[in-house]
Amino acid sequence: MATSRGHFSSRLGFILAAAGSAVGLGNIWKFPFEVGDGGGAAFVVMYLVFCFLLCFPVMTAEIAIGRRTQRNAVGAFKVLNKPRWAFIGFMGIAAGLLILSFYNVVAGWAFGYVIEMLMGNFEIGTQFGDYIKDWLKIGLYGLVFMGVTAFIVSHGIQAGIERAAKILMPSLIMLMVALSAYAMTLDGAMAGIEFYLVPDFSKINGQVVYSALGQAFFSLSLGMGALITYGSYLNKDQNIVQAAAFITLMDVGIAFLAGLMLFPFVFSQGLEPTGGAGLIFVTLPGVFSDLGPNIGVIVGTLFFTLLTFAALTSTVSLLEVPVAYVVDEHKVPRKRAVWLTATFIFLIGVPSLLSNGASSILTNFIDIIGLAREGATDNSFMTFVGWIANDTFLPFGGMMISIFAAHIWKKENLSAELSLGNENYAGSFVETFINFSISYLAPFVLSMIFVLTVLSKFFAIDLL
Ligand code: PHE
């Protein structure tokens, strides 16, 4: 079939776009607070181990499936003559829709903070509860954010996704390097670095391992076909293994930088790093305010701008997954597919938007359906959607993709695809490692994670 599918213009374009998908709120918002809750450096070590042993191989498999088939997350399985496995793609699309529906709400918070910081409103940290409750305002920010995401995706691969990544990713990296260098000059910064980088292995327990793996998976955008989709726009002469290594390194590097920036800020003001989800939105504005009004405005505005940029390249990839499906499989013109899908996702995000104080039913949703855990402070509908999409669908999808690549599509075919653009692949150590990981390690570990999640979240049976 002659399709005029878009393609990335270069390897750099692909790497930046895929790294843009990976680098997001997960790295800058979630990673530091997971480190804070998970006992610091011990969590970081577990996270690194998972990224390289498990996530990197799964990533190469996803990209290879996409490039081999030149198709979206659902179509890819059909092209490989395994239409029954297309359910993995449908689950991926469902995960993408759900994740984007609430991710966009949080991205809206970050975008709104750029405006608050610009106006020098450092009090916003203490008013965070009221801020996220104000559904009209947050809804408007979310609408703008979704609009910009859709605008980028509507311009297609090269003129939209690739171009945006080429502007946003370098800006993001520059801002982060500058801010972390500045943070380290503050008094007391070293206490933060120590907490972050000197591991206390006695802090590793089942719970830490579990959240480190979940975080690694979410952060690398795995398990929902985002990289199948992006891989489908990659040219055959590119080295996938090398590209995946770069993407993993960039994602890990940026999460790492986020910690290097955040913990010195937090410790320099004598604050606790265990602020949970509020670490960035509640604690940081106070830190910025203590830097003095002028510097505070600059640092605060830059920080939330970089958070917004990071979120944007991720929302773009989340939207591209369902859009590619509609465009490929149902032959809907891209622009129409984009605006319809974005509107739909925005609408299914409304309950999440209302679940941070505006509607008491939605705010206490998890409690109302009887699944609240003791001592849990966040029982919102938004968190519940995260349980389903991030915590359940992604590991399940990742497990299925690994099993599919290794045992159904078969390792020989995977190796053949990975050898294109990489003559030395066959017979290399990397090949043995990737094959071992996706054949045994990833299916095993991911199925454990899946079972543990379902038991603990939906049946209140905590084995960890
Ligand atoms: N990886 C993104 C982040 O860290 C989130 C994401 C997950 C994006 C899955 C696409 C697919 O924020």
Side-chain angles (χ1 to χ4, degrees):
M1 183 178 50
T3 49
S4 52
R5 270 181 130 252
H7 271 105
F8 290 107
S9 72
S10 63
R11 186 168 63 140
L12 182 71
F14 168 74
I15 291 178
L16 288 180
S21 165
V23 173
L25 296 170
N27 304 58
I28 300 166
W29 172 56
K30 251 176 122 206
F31 178 74
F33 84 71
E34 297 242 12
V35 174
D37 290 347
F43 178 91
V44 180
V45 173
M46 293 311 305
Y47 170 77
L48 289 177
V49 168
F50 285 134
C51 279
F52 289 99
L53 285 189
L54 216 124
C55 296
F56 161 71
V58 175
M59 183 185 290
T60 56
E62 275 205 33
I63 300 175
I65 293 174
R67 188 176 71 176
R68 169 76 184 77
T69 58
Q70 301 287 300
R71 214 49 113 249
N72 61 88
V74 169
F77 296 95
K78 297 188 188 156
V79 170
L80 293 175
N81 268 330
K82 307 284 181 220
R84 276 210 249 142
W85 287 77
F87 79 91
I88 305 176
F90 282 115
M91 276 188 73
I93 291 176
L97 299 175
L98 292 175
I99 294 176
L100 185 50
S101 77
F102 70 82
Y103 197 95
N104 189 62
V105 174
V106 181
W109 299 351
F111 173 56
Y113 262 52
V114 176
I115 299 168
E116 302 290 342
M117 290 291 120
L118 260 180
M119 298 191 308
N121 179 14
F122 300 114
E123 294 305 306
I124 189 72
T126 56
Q127 301 155 356
F128 182 61
D130 289 329
Y131 172 79
I132 58 176
K133 193 169 158 182
D134 188 347
W135 63 272
L136 208 63
K137 190 161 148 187
I138 300 294
L140 202 67
Y141 291 146
L143 197 62
V144 172
F145 206 89
M146 187 67 91
V148 175
T149 305
F151 177 79
I152 294 173
V153 176
S154 74
H155 282 80
I157 310 311
Q158 271 185 35
I161 298 178
E162 181 172 341
R163 194 195 291 169
K166 279 183 166 163
I167 298 170
L168 295 172
M169 291 304 287
S171 318
L172 167 75
I173 294 172
M174 269 167 3
L175 286 174
M176 286 197 78
V177 172
L179 282 184
S180 44
Y182 173 72
M184 276 188 269
T185 65
L186 300 172
D187 286 340
M190 272 309 134
I193 300 284
E194 204 166 301
F195 168 79
Y196 184 43
L197 296 183
V198 181
D200 172 357
F201 287 107
S202 68
K203 288 194 174 145
I204 293 191
N205 55 33
Q207 193 58 45
V208 170
V209 175
Y210 170 82
S211 21
L213 180 61
Q215 171 63 16
F217 224 70
F218 178 76
S219 178
L220 286 165
S221 306
L222 295 173
M224 54 158 277
L227 290 159
I228 295 183
T229 308
Y230 274 20
S232 76
Y233 306 124
L234 183 63
N235 288 325
K236 292 278 183 194
D237 56 354
Q238 304 293 347
N239 183 336
I240 292 181
V241 174
Q242 209 177 59
F246 274 128
I247 296 163
T248 308
L249 278 175
M250 262 173 93
D251 186 65
V252 168
I254 289 179
F256 187 73
L257 258 180
L260 275 189
M261 167 171 76
L262 209 68
F263 292 112
F265 272 141
V266 171
F267 278 78
S268 72
Q269 305 303 331
L271 297 168
E272 284 296 314
T274 46
L279 191 58
I280 274 191
F281 291 107
V282 178
T283 314
L284 267 190
V287 174
F288 295 150
S289 136
D290 291 337
L291 299 175
N294 298 332
I295 299 196
V297 167
I298 298 174
V299 174
T301 308
L302 290 180
F303 177 82
F304 287 103
T305 304
L306 81 80
L307 188 63
T308 306
F309 282 4
L312 187 56
T313 45
S314 298
T315 52
V316 161
S317 72
L318 286 161
L319 182 58
E320 179 61 23
V321 173
V323 165
Y325 164 71
V326 177
V327 170
D328 285 351
E329 307 299 308
H330 296 285
K331 308 284 175 280
V332 178
R334 173 169 280 269
K335 283 211 161 48
R336 193 185 310 160
V338 167
W339 291 103
L340 286 177
T341 315
T343 307
F344 175 70
I345 297 175
F346 184 80
L347 292 178
I348 58 171
V350 169
S352 290
L353 169 69
L354 298 176
S355 75
N356 298 297
S359 144
S360 75
I361 294 184
L362 292 166
T363 306
N364 301 307
F365 186 77
I366 297 178
D367 199 12
I368 291 173
I369 58 172
L371 293 176
R373 290 138 163 249
E374 245 184 66
T377 47
D378 177 3
N379 286 318
S380 65
F381 180 78
M382 185 163 129
T383 298
F384 184 69
V385 180
W387 285 5
I388 297 179
N390 308 0
D391 302 335
T392 313
F393 280 22
L394 296 190
F396 184 77
M399 170 183 88
M400 284 299 174
I401 290 172
S402 311
I403 295 176
F404 177 82
H407 306 289
I408 309 292
W409 186 34
K410 300 261 189 279
K411 283 177 282 209
E412 299 77 60
N413 291 314
L414 174 66
S415 285
E417 187 62 30
L418 293 177
S419 298
L420 299 178
N422 183 2
E423 291 146 23
N424 304 326
Y425 183 70
S428 67
F429 167 73
V430 181
E431 182 192 33
T432 314
F433 163 66
I434 289 180
N435 283 345
F436 172 75
S437 185
I438 62 159
S439 308
Y440 310 109
L441 192 65
F444 175 71
V445 177
L446 291 170
S447 59
M448 300 265 290
I449 288 286
F450 171 70
V451 171
L452 286 173
T453 300
V454 172
L455 288 179
S456 78
K457 299 271 189 326
F458 303 108
F459 294 96
I461 304 173
D462 256 318
L463 298 181
L464 294 176

